Amino acid sequence: MGRTLAEKVWDAHVVRRAEGEPDLVYIDLHLVHEVTSPQAFDGLRLAGRTVRRPDLTLATEDHNVPTTGLVIEDPVSRTQVETLRKNCAEFGIRLHSLGDIEQGIVHVVGPQLGLTQPGITVVCGDSHTSTHGAFGAMALGIGTSEVEHVMATQTLPLKPFKTMAITVNGTLRPGVTAKDIILAVIAKIGTGGGQGYVLEYRGSAIRALSMEGRMTICNMSIEAGARAGMVAPDATTYAYLEGRAHAPQGADWDDAVAYWDTLATDEGATFDAEVILDADALEPFVTWGTNPGQGVSLSDTVPDPAEIDDANERSAAERALEYMDLAAGTAMKDIHVDTVFLGSCTNSRVEDLRAAAGIIKGKTIADGVRMLVVPGSARVRIEAEAEGLDKIFLAFGAEWRFAGCSMCLGMNPDQLAPGERCASTSNRNFEGRQGKGGRTHLVSPLVAAATAIRGTLSSPWDLVQDGTIPADAVPADLIPVKL
Amino acid sequence: MQKFTTVTGVGVPMRRSNVDTDQIIPAVFLKRVTKTGFEDALFYGWRQDPEFILNQPTYQSPRVLVVGADFGTGSSREHAVWALRDFGFDVVLSPRFGDIFRGNSGKQGLLAGQISEDDAETLWEILEAQPGIEVTVDLVACTASVGDLTVSFEVDEYTRWRLLEGLDDIGLTLRDEARIAEFETHREPWRPRTLPARQVNS
């Protein structure tokens, strides 16, 4: 019987297997940041332990850092970042600090360095570690106790998983993106639908995606409750990796590719579950509620909780509408926003910034709307500036910031005020996620850009319809067909 | 870690599903570098409402939380478990947990027991009818009892064993140190390293 991609990667890392116990799994790459690591380092010190493999460990500063400059004003945040610096120095871990070109969101940094590779196991004390699955890696978000465990042993005891195929057939229409696929998947299977599963995204629409698009999709696997999300490596993966600082070189590259080519799910391998989506039927997707499963097509309306059968989901929807201050039946496109956030480990790579800049170029931001553009890493920021994207955003009226997690979770000063409504390219619309009392609609970078122009949730097509831009004024691949 | 066998204490009926870890503890409290003292941060947003259940005098020293499905979804923050422990909770019973949260719980001596939707409803009704009533949770029998009612819960066998024995994961794994070292001898040389990449002539 054939094996799936996930099973192959897992099997290649089992150090010890015993009946009735979790497998002891070797970890190839451990990514570290300032928020979930200080207590783990303390644990090591208390037990007199060391970091077993500093050469498989990399740290960066992201969650807590300011995006307006390189000085951390908040003393509590500063202490946490300084603690990471001290810990990395003490335990011999490579750290990319503020001001370093490789500093940035941990899930942007790993891939851009070429450290994230097919067939490896990656962990990080952050649930969006699932991002790295886009390369065909088994990438797991872990808690602080597990961070300490990996530091001390380079392994984790892990329970077996189930496999789910998410097959997306067909071709995305112009203007519909990876973000819309994953929001539609989560709406379909729910925030608990992936629980216990490793998802494998398959099908022609996934194959056609860039690595950036695949990362966006795998990133949000956790929002469906899944343990991980993966895409089998292919020529797109290799083209992205080749030549990056930590990618294998020379003969090593050939050996690696030969191995990576064996990873795809075998013909005849079976999944424990399968979900099928038709890419041709997808429209831009947005959320209306307070969990990422509460989403609809942008051309749809806010759903009526009374029409939801399940009592728990109905009460969750009622609570969500109250928190979001939305009435059932409201057209999503009639919802006004105060803020647009373009950033986060979901959508802050140069391709995302480029897509948004293509829409807003030469336009002016809507009255009363502010837009934050936060590149995922210092390197992304520099690349974008080399293309002149910063000037496009600034001329539009957006703020061009330094790299970090920023308003995705508002640990730094980038927060929503109570009652403020935001179209956000991030991954979580939980109550208070972007600031106490803040209201979040999850959107793609294209929808974020169009929304910043119109002030209401919009797709680029709406801009063509209302005459803001002529259909031939934006690149053809960014104009969605009328849906 | 202390051994966990039975716990008896006030049960809290929390009729909410999809309680993500951002609700359990908002991100602004994750800036601390310590592992204790998070009790004030637990459910911080909801506790601003005087009517919220944990603001009621009856529930100032609770030990068992009975909550709706998909508890602890979202962020991996272990601070969610620390905050529940710091507030006094030893047990959370729910029809479904976020995977990472459940894993974190087992490492910190917080029992995350999975119950059926029907049993959650029955427990809520009893706890609401008699506020402050105590629940006894028995990890040997995998049961939760209140008044005349006894329901069973599920917890994976390995976590149960570690909780019953009070075992530390890292210590357990380090017994296999020789196997780990052996595994490392046959890792492919081109696998990524965070030190400068290996140079070879092709």
Side-chain angles (χ1 to χ4, degrees):
Chain A
M1 201 181 78
R3 289 180 302 163
T4 62
L5 164 65
E7 288 158 349
K8 290 181 191 183
V9 178
W10 185 280
D11 289 349
H13 290 84
V14 174
V15 171
R16 176 177 180 274
R17 178 170 280 169
E19 184 63 30
E21 292 180 34
D23 285 346
L24 188 64
V25 175
Y26 198 82
I27 304 302
D28 287 317
L29 179 62
H30 186 192
L31 302 172
V32 173
H33 63 85
E34 74 273 19
V35 175
T36 55
S37 65
Q39 297 86 353
F41 283 113
D42 267 351
L44 290 183
R45 264 190 295 268
L46 280 171
R49 290 170 178 149
T50 58
V51 174
R52 181 183 178 86
R53 295 296 299 266
D55 61 327
L56 304 183
T57 311
L58 181 83
T60 177
E61 301 167 359
D62 58 5
H63 281 64
N64 230 326
V65 300
T67 58
T68 47
L70 301 180
V71 178
I72 309 176
E73 308 263 352
D74 175 1
V76 188
S77 294
R78 192 167 62 236
T79 298
Q80 195 172 56
V81 171
E82 284 170 353
T83 302
L84 178 69
R85 292 173 187 174
K86 276 186 234 155
N87 283 329
C88 286
E90 180 181 340
F91 289 93
I93 293 170
R94 172 174 160 190
L95 168 67
H96 291 297
S97 279
L98 272 182
D100 180 321
I101 190 171
E102 305 296 351
Q103 177 269 333
I105 307 176
V106 66
H107 309 308
V108 176
V109 170
Q112 87 183 10
L113 282 169
L115 282 167
T116 303
Q117 297 175 12
I120 67 169
T121 48
V122 189
V123 298
C124 174
D126 187 281
S127 58
H128 292 113
T129 307
S130 58
T131 312
H132 306 265
F135 291 79
M138 173 70 72
L140 306 164
I142 58 177
T144 297
S145 293
E146 292 172 308
V147 169
E148 183 181 337
H149 194 286
V150 175
M151 286 173 171
T153 72
Q154 204 58 34
T155 63
L156 272 182
L158 293 170
K159 285 191 303 176
F161 57 90
K162 295 177 285 182
T163 55
M164 184 188 293
I166 307 277
T167 306
V168 190
N169 295 315
T171 309
L172 285 177
R173 290 187 273 191
V176 185
T177 66
K179 184 64 165 283
D180 304 306
I181 293 179
I182 189 60
L183 286 173
V185 167
I186 301 163
K188 189 175 173 102
I189 70 175
T191 55
Q195 206 213 18
Y197 289 95
V198 172
L199 312 183
E200 182 184 329
Y201 301 97
R202 302 156 62 80
S204 53
I206 302 297
R207 286 286 136 230
L209 290 173
S210 65
M211 288 314 296
E212 287 80 357
R214 296 178 190 183
M215 283 190 256
T216 299
I217 289 190
C218 288
N219 171 273
M220 291 189 71
S221 303
I222 182 68
E223 313 313 335
R227 292 178 68 184
M230 301 175 85
V231 176
D234 59 13
T236 304
T237 319
Y238 306 156
Y240 178 97
L241 271 172
E242 193 166 14
R244 291 193 183 259
H246 290 264
Q249 299 171 11
D252 276 352
W253 173 260
D254 298 334
D255 290 347
V257 169
Y259 173 64
W260 297 342
D261 278 338
T262 69
L263 292 173
T265 294
D266 295 326
E267 290 280 335
T270 51
F271 291 89
D272 298 306
E274 181 167 20
V275 171
I276 298 174
L277 237 72
D278 178 11
D280 298 279
L282 273 182
E283 299 179 40
F285 221 83
V286 293
T287 62
W288 51 267
T290 54
N291 74 57
Q294 293 175 323
V296 291
S297 293
L298 180 57
S299 60
D300 216 330
T301 56
V302 176
D304 186 349
E307 291 171 9
I308 298 174
D309 290 335
D310 181 85
N312 277 327
E313 283 193 22
R314 186 166 57 243
S315 71
E318 285 164 354
R319 281 183 51 80
L321 290 192
E322 187 185 340
Y323 180 85
M324 294 295 288
D325 191 28
L326 288 174
T330 305
M332 293 305 296
K333 288 187 181 178
D334 287 344
I335 297 173
H336 283 264
V337 305
D338 307 296
T339 296
V340 174
F341 172 59
L342 176 57
S344 87
C345 56
T346 314
N347 281 125
S348 65
R349 297 172 182 84
V350 73
E351 179 181 282
D352 300 310
L353 306 186
R354 215 179 271 146
I359 300 298
I360 59 136
K361 187 174 185 179
K363 301 289 168 297
T364 306
I365 194 166
D367 278 348
V369 173
R370 67 165 168 155
M371 181 177 189
L372 264 68
V373 184
V374 185
S377 69
R379 186 175 286 281
V380 167
R381 187 172 194 270
I382 287 166
E383 282 174 11
E385 288 179 352
E387 295 180 22
L389 302 185
D390 57 324
K391 293 190 180 65
I392 296 175
F393 285 115
L394 287 166
F396 175 68
E399 298 175 43
W400 179 246
R401 297 291 189 90
F402 289 89
C405 298
S406 181
M407 196 183 266
C408 175
L409 81 169
M411 276 194 81
N412 73 350
D414 305 339
Q415 295 183 10
L416 295 180
E420 209 177 337
R421 188 179 299 279
C422 180
S424 177
T425 64
S426 58
N427 40 57
R428 289 189 174 135
N429 51 345
F430 298 152
E431 286 183 29
R433 169 83 176 179
Q434 296 191 289
K436 194 161 167 278
R439 298 172 176 137
T440 304
H441 297 276
L442 301 178
V443 301
S444 73
L446 291 181
V447 170
T451 299
I453 295 172
R454 282 163 58 93
T456 50
L457 292 176
S458 306
S459 78
W461 179 250
D462 296 313
L463 298 168
V464 176
Q465 294 288 90
D466 72 9
T468 306
I469 52 174
D472 59 358
V474 283
D477 62 342
L478 295 183
I479 304 174
V481 294
K482 178 68 185 113
L483 301 168
Chain B
M1 209 160 70
Q2 272 197 318
K3 290 185 180 184
F4 189 123
T5 47
T6 62
V7 159
T8 298
V10 171
V12 179
M14 187 181 278
R15 278 188 187 266
R16 299 193 190 216
S17 59
N18 255 304
V19 177
D20 56 75
T21 54
D22 272 77
Q23 304 317 311
I24 300 172
I25 182 168
V28 289
F29 295 102
L30 313 188
K31 297 181 186 183
R32 299 177 190 166
V33 295
T34 54
K35 212 166 175 172
T36 55
F38 289 96
E39 60 275 8
D40 293 339
L42 181 69
F43 298 119
Y44 183 80
W46 295 342
R47 274 164 78 192
Q48 306 313 300
D49 171 8
E51 300 297 309
F52 181 62
I53 191 160
L54 289 184
N55 287 333
Q56 310 302 313
T58 315
Y59 298 114
Q60 289 319 293
S61 302
R63 298 188 71 181
V64 180
L65 180 66
V66 183
V67 66
D70 295 317
F71 186 79
T73 53
S75 158
S76 65
R77 59 191 68 170
E78 196 162 306
H79 310 67
V81 175
W82 303 336
L84 285 160
R85 296 289 283 138
D86 288 347
F87 199 87
F89 286 106
D90 295 303
V91 182
V92 183
L93 299 175
S94 162
R96 198 163 55 210
F97 292 95
D99 265 326
I100 303 176
F101 174 85
R102 189 175 41 194
N104 290 343
S105 297
K107 317 251 183 231
Q108 291 296 321
L110 178 73
L111 171 60
Q114 190 165 336
I115 54 177
S116 70
E117 296 264 4
D118 289 345
D119 285 342
E121 184 61 41
T122 311
L123 284 170
W124 282 336
E125 284 167 10
I126 293 171
L127 297 177
E128 285 165 353
Q130 303 170 73
I133 192 170
E134 292 194 331
V135 179
T136 295
V137 175
D138 180 343
L139 184 57
V140 178
C142 285
T143 56
S145 309
V146 54
D148 296 333
L149 176 82
T150 296
V151 304
S152 53
F153 62 82
E154 286 180 28
V155 57
D156 76 82
E157 197 46 44
Y158 186 72
T159 301
R160 176 170 170 268
W161 170 69
R162 282 192 306 101
L163 287 170
L164 286 170
E165 300 292 326
L167 291 171
D168 156 55
D169 252 5
I170 297 178
L172 282 174
T173 297
L174 286 175
R175 294 185 313 189
D176 286 317
E177 210 279 333
R179 286 177 201 256
I180 298 170
E182 197 278 327
F183 183 93
E184 286 174 327
T185 62
H186 54 80
R187 290 179 76 237
E188 294 86 346
W190 43 259
R191 288 198 177 260
R193 287 167 168 246
T194 56
L195 303 173
R198 202 167 87 106
Q199 302 284 333
V200 275
N201 297 321
S202 48

